[in-house]
Amino acid sequence: MKRRWRITILFLGCLVYLILGSIIFSAIEGSQEDATRTTLNNSIMMFLDRHPTVPFDELVELLHCIKKASDQGVSPDAILSMNNASTEWQRIEKPTRKNWDLANSFFFSATIVTTIGYGHLAPSTKLGRNICVLYAFIGLPFFGWLLAEVTFLCHNKGRNLGKKIHDHVFHWIKGAKIRRVLTGAVMFASFYSIIILLPALSYSYIEGWDFPTAHYYCFITLSTIGFGDFVATDNFTDINSWRWLYKITTVLYFVVGLASLAVVLNSIQQRQQRHVRKLKAAVGRRISTTANANGNGELQESVVNGMGSEEADSIDDDEEEAEEGDENENRVMMTNEMVKESSV
């Protein structure tokens, strides 16, 4: 099976799994939320009956402060209103949107399997928490498989693009090291612009945030830090069809963004590991040469301490040949992978 078809099937499978999670968590936590809303509403009505002189604005401000500190996250907005013609308090018939509706539960399920875990919405019942553990236990490997496939695809695309930039854009530069540095800088700038800056502009427009806040949100999200102080789609109150599309698009952004970040981190790790291997090899050669020169196999302290600029320069000189060998090896691996997929 070709990789793109496999990614499509895995993504659809994850989408179905997220929808299943939205139904489960909405059913379990939604009833608890309804009970909490009813209790809050009755408590406020009783308070207002006993204290009819309390200004409504001050009450709402107090409720907002309580909301920020509340684990339930139930908003007190539009629960009560004061009749201007009298001193009586009346209910507003307009319903407020539930926190645990299907759309929010879908987004909550996505924050579980992506390990972002904003914390802006969390189960409050014992059953919901136990189901959350089981859901994560099954969903994390499933999403990890999807992320691995997308990461491999992004890695190949990025490598091909980097090679084209190295060979065609900076071909006029003679120094191989300078070409590699410039290619890396262009690749990083392109990655950061596409994965962080452009989405930040979009969220800034949709959510009404300033650009630094939107940039902060994108970086904190894709790094899976997920503070939860800002959450996209949380205040989006448009019609349900657009609301669902916005949440699904944001989840897709999570997948692509996390895969792209994994490619960057993996490339940095591979380069560091390759440099460490070269350094170990150079130290081993120096130790072997010194031991043979001494004749008795004794290792002097200067063997390691004498590892100076000459060996470091030799390592740097060998890196270009090593990278060319790695590129040839990667080309062979990619060719074998393509032949294998086509045969399947």
Side-chain angles (χ1 to χ4, degrees):
M1 183 183 297
K2 292 184 177 180
R3 185 172 300 277
R4 292 186 178 181
W5 280 107
R6 190 159 59 242
I7 292 175
T8 302
I9 294 174
L10 285 172
F11 179 76
L12 292 177
C14 284
L15 187 62
V16 172
Y17 189 71
L18 294 178
I19 294 175
L20 177 62
S22 68
I23 296 173
I24 293 174
F25 290 113
S26 178
I28 295 175
E29 297 296 326
S31 59
Q32 177 65 28
E33 181 185 354
D34 291 337
T36 302
R37 286 176 178 272
T38 302
T39 301
L40 176 63
N41 190 34
N42 293 335
S43 299
I44 293 175
M45 291 299 298
M46 293 175 60
F47 175 82
L48 293 176
D49 289 340
R50 292 193 299 265
H51 306 85
T53 59
V54 175
F56 178 69
D57 293 339
E58 294 183 8
L59 177 62
V60 172
E61 183 179 356
L62 175 62
L63 291 175
H64 276 293
C65 294
I66 296 174
K67 176 179 177 291
K68 292 180 180 180
S70 174
D71 294 333
Q72 298 289 329
V74 177
S75 174
D77 294 339
I79 294 179
L80 302 171
S81 178
M82 185 175 183
N83 188 350
N84 294 328
S86 65
T87 58
E88 296 180 356
W89 295 83
Q90 297 179 345
R91 296 178 185 271
I92 286 184
E93 298 297 332
K94 180 181 178 181
T96 56
R97 186 181 297 278
K98 294 178 62 175
N99 289 326
W100 286 101
D101 60 5
L102 288 178
N104 283 339
S105 299
F106 172 85
F107 194 77
F108 168 75
S109 301
T111 61
I112 293 176
V113 297
T114 56
T115 69
I116 294 175
Y118 286 123
H120 70 299
L121 194 63
S124 59
T125 63
K126 292 182 179 180
L127 178 59
R129 290 165 182 166
N130 292 331
I131 294 295
C132 182
V133 172
L134 179 62
Y135 187 82
F137 186 79
I138 299 174
L140 287 175
F142 192 19
F143 180 79
W145 187 9
L146 171 64
L147 190 62
E149 295 290 343
V150 177
T151 300
F152 185 87
L153 182 63
C154 294
H155 183 270
N156 290 340
K157 296 293 184 180
R159 179 179 290 275
N160 293 334
L161 178 61
K163 180 173 176 54
K164 290 181 180 179
I165 295 175
H166 181 275
D167 295 340
H168 300 289
V169 178
F170 299 122
H171 62 90
W172 51 275
I173 299 178
K174 296 182 179 180
K177 294 180 182 179
I178 299 178
R179 286 203 306 270
R180 288 198 300 270
V181 171
L182 292 177
T183 301
V186 171
M187 291 293 294
F188 179 79
S190 301
F191 158 79
Y192 202 83
S193 298
I194 296 174
I195 302 301
I196 301 293
L197 297 182
L198 291 181
L201 286 174
S202 300
Y203 285 123
S204 177
Y205 174 76
I206 297 173
E207 297 288 339
W209 299 333
D210 55 24
F211 180 76
T213 299
H215 174 264
Y216 163 83
Y217 165 76
C218 292
F219 184 85
I220 293 299
T221 295
L222 294 187
S223 61
T224 68
I225 296 173
F227 287 130
D229 47 353
F230 294 95
V231 179
T233 77
D234 196 31
N235 297 319
F236 191 76
T237 58
D238 207 339
I239 57 177
N240 285 330
S241 58
W242 287 109
R243 187 163 171 255
W244 271 99
L245 179 61
Y246 184 32
K247 289 183 180 293
I248 293 175
T249 303
T250 300
V251 172
L252 182 62
Y253 167 65
F254 291 166
V255 175
V256 177
L258 290 174
S260 301
L261 185 62
V263 170
V264 173
L265 296 178
N266 186 52
S267 300
I268 296 175
Q269 182 182 17
Q270 288 181 352
R271 184 173 183 83
Q272 293 299 323
Q273 289 177 347
R274 184 167 58 247
H275 186 76
V276 169
R277 287 196 301 268
K278 294 295 182 181
L279 183 62
K280 289 182 178 180
V283 172
R285 289 194 300 268
R286 182 63 180 269
I287 291 176
S288 177
T289 302
T290 305
N292 294 333
N294 291 339
N296 53 7
E298 294 180 355
L299 301 181
Q300 300 178 354
E301 183 179 359
S302 60
V303 172
V304 178
N305 294 335
M307 187 64 190
S309 60
E310 181 179 354
E311 286 77 4
D313 293 339
S314 65
I315 293 174
D316 293 335
D317 294 337
D318 291 341
E319 277 190 355
E320 182 176 355
E321 297 179 0
E323 289 185 357
E324 292 178 356
D326 291 340
E327 290 180 359
N328 294 331
E329 183 179 354
N330 289 326
R331 293 193 189 98
V332 173
M333 292 175 62
M334 292 173 59
T335 303
N336 293 335
E337 182 71 18
M338 294 173 61
V339 172
K340 182 179 179 181
E341 291 182 353
S342 62
S343 63
V344 174

